Amino acid sequence: MDALLRRRLLAASLLVALSGTGCGMLGQEADRQVDDSFADPSLPVRRAQSPDGPRAPSTLPPVEKPTLPVPARPPAAVVPADAAAPTPPGAVTPVSASDAKPAADTASSAVRPIATVGTDNFISDEEVSMMMKQRAMDYLMLKGDERVKKEKEVYKEELKKLIDRELILTEFLGRVKKNNPGALPELWEQAGKMADGQLRMRRQAFNIKSDAELAAKLAEQGMDFKLFRRQIERQALMSMFLNTILKDKSGTPTLAQVQDYYTRHADEYKSEDKVKFQHLFVSTARFDTADAAKKRAEELFTAARGGADFVKLVKEHGHGDSVLRGGAGVGEKRGEIQPPELEKVIWDIKPGNFSGVLPSENGFHVIRVLEREVAGVRQLDEKLQTEIRNKLADQSTKAEVDKLTAQLWRQIGVTIVEER
């Protein structure tokens, strides 16, 4: 892998970990419903005829560049953020954010819409570009037609996520304006605090000291910090609305439902033989005789079994590369254990126990097994019950969000702008 591509992948992985700005609650069923919405001529969705949905650019520039080519659009589609025309009451705009959002939050002086939601709200090329860059690892390693096809898929998926988000926000803000317009500033303030909190946690996770440093890293990838933050803020606002309207529609799955899912999906919970272990190696090359090396290994084994810190023993007295891994052994599954001679005994050792001193061609080994999973179907213990319960709750939430977005696609006009 060349150095430039490696830098792009590393940058993309950082953006993915930092962002999490996509809808996240829409699953395959939601995607299918939106695809049906695109295809249904009875819906208020206007778009140029294309069998592929919204058309992605045939090629993408390097991730480091500041812009992403987008389909050609009529000049009239260019909408300055500081246009003199007043924003109609109730409009939700992605740049000026007239709903109690200050003009200082504007990410750029002019944007080009890729899709409009309702009569005033729109999705900009810069927003879709940012979302695609966060998924650059999905296509950077591909070449030729395969890469072009994947870019189109990513483009369409991210555009749909943004449209779904703006449909939900249009509905949410419309309800607030109708029933309690004075609450809008407080809502935006709360969403802003949530966005700042998420950014702070992500900076800490990657040892990024300030927003200025994060903004510089984003700028290296051609991404605007204010737009990046705005994406997180709008995601937070959408989550507030969904949590409110869905809290009474999906209760906690019962134990009977968990057991039923477990029975019907047993294949999902099959496990392989797995082991996690620590490894201490004493090399005969470090001693005058093999017997001297063996004696030293036995002394270390006795100390470990007596309660000495095994990791400390490895770091201070070990001669193998496990010293560099804090004592961790190599391999977890059958056929992966290194060195191979450890395979003969490691699967019979119970968690917390030691192997004893194991001779090999170059020295002596002492291993301690930390964790052990036996091949078979996982038991429906408390941990797995919680895992299934969360999965069922997520499925229920996604189903409700699917219904909502499908309804909003039918109620609110959506225009997809494409190259003809």
Side-chain angles (χ1 to χ4, degrees):
M1 186 187 302
D2 60 54
L4 177 59
L5 181 56
R6 185 161 51 249
R7 287 200 304 272
R8 293 181 190 173
L9 291 174
L10 288 173
S13 63
L14 174 62
L15 291 175
V16 169
L18 282 172
S19 62
T21 55
C23 180
M25 300 185 74
L26 303 179
Q28 293 180 349
E29 178 60 24
D31 286 342
R32 181 198 63 74
Q33 182 65 59
V34 175
D35 283 334
D36 292 345
S37 298
F38 270 111
D40 189 343
S42 68
L43 299 181
V45 178
R46 300 174 297 281
R47 60 191 292 268
Q49 295 301 315
S50 169
D52 301 323
R55 192 169 302 160
S58 57
T59 58
L60 285 174
V63 176
E64 292 83 359
K65 292 187 178 181
T67 58
L68 179 69
V70 295
R73 297 164 185 80
V78 179
V79 182
D82 55 356
T87 303
V92 182
T93 61
V95 175
S96 61
S98 61
D99 297 305
K101 297 302 293 176
D105 281 351
T106 300
S108 60
S109 60
V111 295
R112 293 177 301 188
I114 288 179
T116 62
V117 179
T119 57
D120 302 293
N121 195 11
F122 64 88
I123 308 298
S124 72
D125 58 341
E126 190 176 9
E127 290 178 284
V128 181
S129 170
M130 177 176 288
M131 302 302 286
M132 289 192 70
K133 287 175 182 178
Q134 292 168 24
R135 290 185 58 185
M137 288 188 294
D138 288 359
Y139 52 79
L140 276 180
M141 295 292 290
L142 305 178
K143 296 181 179 180
D145 291 342
E146 188 178 4
R147 172 165 171 168
V148 172
K149 180 181 178 181
K150 187 61 180 180
E151 287 172 359
K152 287 185 176 183
E153 290 176 1
V154 172
Y155 178 93
K156 183 177 179 180
E157 290 168 5
E158 295 308 313
L159 177 57
K160 287 194 297 183
K161 289 179 184 178
L162 289 170
I163 291 175
D164 287 334
R165 186 194 71 192
E166 294 307 314
L167 284 168
I168 292 171
L169 288 179
T170 298
E171 172 70 10
F172 179 31
L173 295 174
R175 292 188 189 186
V176 175
K177 289 173 183 177
K178 179 179 179 180
N179 300 318
N180 187 13
L184 278 173
E186 184 179 348
L187 279 174
W188 279 116
E189 182 180 1
Q190 185 176 352
K193 289 180 179 179
M194 292 172 67
D196 290 338
Q198 291 184 37
L199 285 172
R200 184 166 53 253
M201 288 189 294
R202 289 161 181 162
R203 288 199 316 267
Q204 291 172 351
F206 287 88
N207 197 28
I208 297 175
K209 296 181 180 179
S210 65
D211 282 348
E213 185 178 345
L214 175 57
K217 290 184 180 296
L218 291 171
E220 291 175 2
Q221 305 304 313
M223 298 172 67
D224 184 270
F225 174 78
K226 289 181 180 178
L227 182 58
F228 184 80
R229 181 187 180 281
R230 174 186 174 278
Q231 294 279 47
I232 300 176
E233 183 181 58
R234 295 180 81 79
Q235 174 70 18
L237 190 63
M238 182 186 71
S239 295
M240 280 192 280
F241 177 51
L242 292 177
N243 289 338
T244 299
I245 66 174
L246 298 179
K247 65 180 181 180
D248 297 326
K249 293 188 177 182
S250 55
T252 302
T254 65
L255 179 59
Q257 290 173 317
V258 169
Q259 291 172 331
D260 178 65
Y261 186 91
Y262 174 76
T263 301
R264 291 185 293 107
H265 299 84
D267 288 345
E268 294 182 18
Y269 303 105
K270 287 183 177 179
S271 61
E272 300 180 63
D273 275 331
K274 272 188 177 182
V275 65
K276 286 187 179 180
F277 67 101
Q278 294 170 321
H279 177 209
L280 187 155
F281 175 64
V282 176
S283 173
T284 54
R286 303 292 186 96
F287 297 86
D288 294 334
T289 65
D291 287 341
K294 180 180 180 181
K295 181 179 179 181
R296 184 58 173 152
E298 289 174 341
E299 291 172 352
L300 294 172
F301 165 67
T302 300
R305 191 171 57 177
D309 186 329
F310 192 75
V311 173
K312 185 176 181 181
L313 292 176
V314 172
K315 290 181 177 180
E316 294 181 355
H317 305 287
H319 304 142
D321 58 7
S322 61
V323 173
L324 304 175
R325 296 188 300 275
V330 176
E332 291 189 350
K333 300 178 182 179
R334 290 188 181 273
E336 296 179 353
I337 306 300
Q338 296 294 329
E341 53 262 33
L342 301 184
E343 281 267 7
K344 302 174 183 177
V345 298
I346 198 168
W347 302 106
D348 295 325
I349 302 173
K350 295 181 179 180
N353 289 353
F354 295 88
S355 63
V357 176
L358 305 175
S360 67
E361 183 178 352
N362 300 315
F364 299 88
H365 307 268
V366 177
I367 59 177
R368 178 172 69 172
V369 170
L370 300 177
E371 298 178 15
R372 177 77 168 87
E373 291 185 22
V374 180
V377 179
R378 291 175 58 187
Q379 290 185 344
L380 188 59
D381 54 17
E382 186 174 346
K383 180 179 179 181
L384 184 53
Q385 288 179 34
T386 300
E387 183 180 321
I388 295 176
R389 188 171 283 110
N390 290 339
K391 186 170 188 177
L392 292 175
D394 288 343
Q395 290 177 350
S396 177
T397 298
K398 288 177 182 178
E400 292 296 333
V401 174
D402 285 348
K403 292 178 184 178
L404 175 62
T405 53
Q407 177 183 353
L408 294 177
W409 270 82
R410 294 178 180 276
Q411 291 178 347
I412 302 174
V414 176
T415 300
I416 307 298
V417 181
E418 294 184 276
E419 181 182 16
R420 296 182 181 275

